[in-house]
Amino acid sequence: MSTFIKDLGSLVGQTVTIKGWLYNKRGSGPLQFLELRDGTGWTQAVAAKKDLSEEVWLATESVGQESSVEVSGVVAKHPKKENVFELQVKDFKILQNAVDYPIALKDHGPDFLMDHRHLWLRSKRQWAILRVRDAVIMAINEYLHQENFIKTDSPIFTPNACEGTTTLFSVPYFDLGTAYLSQSGQLYIEAAIMSVGRCYDFGPVFRAEKSKTKRHLTEFWMMDAEGAFIEHEENLKIQEGLVRHIVRYCLGHCSAELAILERDIEKLKQADAPFVRYTYDEAIKKLNELGSDIKYGEDLGNDDEGILTKDSVVPVFIEKWPKSIKPFYMKRDPENADRVLNDDLIATDGGGELIGGSQRENDHDLLLERIKAEGLNVADYQWYLDLRKFGSVPHSGFGIGLERAVRWICGVEHIRECIPFPRTIGRLRP
Ligand code: 4AD
Ligand code: MG
């Protein structure tokens, strides 16, 4: 019977077949200890020379690291370890023998590993990150549907900018001139909410970020959520609910993965409590008190985010930023026309900005004024302005960067490990 390694615990005493790869191997006289992986987990297969034909024994001796294999044997409890199961090998087939696999189970430098990303993905650590990434996606989809959002999606080729014109990638587009790769699908789901009320997109977005940091990719995945009749306060409530749901979901589904990553689970558990909230003005004041030389009107740097979250066990919202440093579509704060009704959510443990969100300007004339003031081409935004002419409603939304969320949940230092094939200013291969 063919089975998965994750299910071995319920098959003790039975003969099963596992199809997978040889992760590692250790020989000792008439025994070979073969560490197998099949995508669902790892297990040890013990091959004893006395139980096998000459041909099969030779195969276990000669098989190379990362060869694809098919192994049959009897499932047994590990002699010493609780809840660990192994296979007593009856048959062992090499499907394709791998010779000189380039990644040894020892430390390699990051450039070497990134050059071999197509193979590096097989390591335990990368396996764990890929699985947490999947759990974060599942958690996001689950939470949003609970909150009555449906998935609608947005185009990737776009005629105009969403998040400022300095980080656009352009592509020649037939006879129609230049297309830009989407920086965020927000503007399009603002149109879709007028049909379905609440919706989200979830897909790749692109930013020609010149910054070489541990938090920036040029291609990353973003979930943009948007809802009609949602105002600033409720927007923050939904964001907090979402992030806490992601934390709970990953704690519930990924304990093995988080253990491999040596993530401090207690810290994650603590993050599932009401988030802290500062206005931008309060944040600047606090930062200055704590030794930052940031001035009013400036964007927070990486160090500032670290200072502000250093003593917090929960993520921190910074709301109501100066209009001058935020995009054209944000709604002015009725109590202070220089501020907008927006928020950035900053994670703990150096996780940095996870979410950017805001209430949107729903007044046609004010929005037009902002588009002009930013020097944007009004014709490109005519369709977007239309939304303010035909049944405009107060509405809000936010975008969460998937890899930022994965990086924070996993406690991984560099965002390049949080997407299967990262794209950064210095990397386009493999
Ligand atoms: O704050 P941002 O730029 O917000 C928007 O794009 C809005 N249109 C979203 C919306 O309101 N629907 O980006 C949202 C999030 C950031 O908080 C961050 O998590 C992530 O996207 N992000 C990046 N992740 C990786 N690499 C980059 N270069 C990123 N830039 C933004
Ligand atoms: Mg932002």
Side-chain angles (χ1 to χ4, degrees):
M1 176 186 51
S2 197
T3 191
F4 291 117
I5 289 173
K6 72 175 173 58
D7 299 327
L8 289 182
S10 60
L11 298 167
V12 174
Q14 299 191 38
T15 300
V16 302
T17 300
I18 288 173
K19 294 175 186 169
W21 297 264
L22 182 81
Y23 190 67
N24 199 10
K25 180 174 82 154
R26 181 163 67 76
S28 123
L31 292 177
Q32 287 286 354
F33 299 94
L34 307 157
E35 200 182 346
L36 306 178
R37 54 174 198 86
D38 74 344
T40 73
W42 276 256
T43 193
Q44 175 169 272
V46 184
K49 189 172 182 184
K50 66 175 172 46
D51 299 336
L52 303 173
S53 69
E54 169 98 19
E55 189 194 351
V56 171
W57 173 252
L58 283 178
T60 68
E61 276 192 325
S62 66
V63 63
Q65 186 196 348
E66 286 302 325
S67 295
S68 44
V69 295
E70 191 176 315
V71 187
S72 301
V74 180
V75 183
K77 281 191 176 144
H78 191 281
K80 293 188 193 119
K81 294 181 197 155
E82 191 68 23
N83 269 323
V84 175
F85 303 91
E86 56 179 34
L87 219 57
Q88 289 154 351
V89 176
K90 283 177 141 180
D91 196 12
F92 183 88
K93 276 195 212 100
I94 302 175
L95 304 177
Q96 192 263 316
N97 194 35
V99 180
D100 297 336
Y101 184 67
I103 305 181
L105 295 173
K106 60 165 181 123
D107 285 347
H108 290 284
D111 284 339
F112 178 86
L113 289 171
M114 288 308 311
D115 287 343
H116 292 84
R117 182 66 175 165
H118 51 298
L119 302 176
W120 185 29
L121 285 179
R122 307 174 185 201
S123 78
K124 244 177 213 172
R125 178 183 163 84
Q126 300 309 315
W127 173 88
I129 297 171
L130 286 177
R131 290 182 55 99
V132 171
R133 182 184 165 97
D134 173 66
V136 172
I137 295 169
M138 293 291 282
I140 291 174
N141 285 315
E142 186 175 272
Y143 178 80
L144 289 172
H145 279 91
Q146 276 168 21
E147 296 295 319
N148 299 308
F149 290 78
I150 69 159
K151 188 161 178 286
T152 55
D153 291 328
S154 303
I156 285 174
F157 287 133
T158 58
N160 54 279
C162 178
E163 295 296 315
T165 49
T166 56
T167 61
L168 284 172
F169 278 111
S170 52
V171 194
Y173 198 84
F174 304 110
D175 296 336
L176 299 182
T178 300
Y180 302 101
L181 300 183
S182 177
Q183 302 163 306
S184 157
Q186 176 200 323
L187 307 187
Y188 291 95
I189 56 168
E190 281 188 60
I193 60 164
M194 306 301 177
S195 167
V196 298
R198 291 181 171 199
C199 63
Y200 66 103
D201 62 26
F202 204 160
V205 292
F206 305 86
R207 307 243 172 132
E209 297 268 10
K210 298 250 165 58
S211 35
K212 271 192 190 164
T213 77
K214 294 175 175 163
R215 298 171 302 141
H216 287 90
L217 294 163
T218 53
E219 173 178 318
F220 61 98
W221 282 60
M222 170 129 72
M223 188 288 291
D224 296 282
E226 197 75 24
F229 304 105
I230 292 175
E231 302 205 40
H232 179 67
E233 284 299 317
E234 192 181 1
N235 195 25
L236 266 59
K237 215 176 109 213
I238 293 169
Q239 292 168 43
E240 176 171 329
L242 172 67
V243 173
R244 290 175 64 177
H245 189 77
I246 293 172
V247 169
R248 274 198 298 276
Y249 191 98
C250 291
L251 285 170
H253 289 80
C254 300
S255 48
E257 291 83 353
L258 294 170
I260 289 169
L261 295 164
E262 296 173 7
R263 178 63 160 118
D264 187 340
I265 298 284
E266 290 313 311
K267 282 193 169 174
L268 274 184
K269 284 185 184 156
Q270 285 178 349
D272 183 17
F275 291 178
V276 169
R277 218 203 253 202
Y278 300 122
T279 61
Y280 172 86
D281 292 26
E282 286 165 348
I284 297 297
K285 198 159 155 246
K286 201 165 160 68
L287 280 168
N288 289 154
E289 282 165 14
L290 293 171
S292 165
D293 53 12
I294 190 170
K295 297 183 192 61
Y296 270 95
E298 288 180 356
D299 201 354
L300 269 63
N302 191 19
D303 292 347
D304 296 314
E305 291 177 354
I307 295 171
L308 213 54
T309 49
K310 192 165 60 71
D311 297 322
S312 181
V313 297
V314 292
V316 173
F317 279 116
I318 306 170
E319 59 173 345
K320 301 185 179 170
W321 289 58
K323 180 180 78 180
S324 56
I325 52 170
K326 286 293 177 187
F328 70 94
Y329 53 70
M330 293 185 179
K331 187 178 177 69
R332 290 179 202 182
D333 181 355
E335 284 163 19
N336 181 347
D338 286 335
R339 297 284 185 266
V340 284
L341 292 176
N342 80 315
D343 67 277
D344 276 9
L345 181 66
I346 316 296
T348 52
D349 303 323
E353 184 192 322
L354 291 183
I355 288 183
S358 71
Q359 187 161 343
R360 318 306 188 188
E361 183 51 74
N362 55 313
D363 179 88
H364 177 275
D365 295 348
L366 288 176
L367 184 62
L368 179 60
E369 189 187 305
R370 284 299 305 273
I371 289 172
K372 285 182 179 159
E374 296 279 325
L376 298 166
N377 178 9
V378 176
D380 288 341
Y381 294 87
Q382 203 53 61
W383 68 271
Y384 185 67
L385 283 160
D386 265 2
L387 306 176
R388 280 71 183 167
K389 284 201 303 206
F390 303 107
S392 189
V393 294
H395 65 283
S396 305
F398 61 93
I400 182 167
L402 174 61
E403 292 75 18
R404 293 273 179 98
V406 172
R407 176 173 175 261
W408 176 56
I409 297 282
C410 291
V412 164
E413 170 92 7
H414 205 300
I415 197 165
R416 66 185 166 212
E417 287 187 69
C418 300
I419 184 164
F421 293 95
R423 301 294 178 236
T424 58
I425 183 167
R427 181 162 297 276
L428 189 58
R429 293 201 170 86

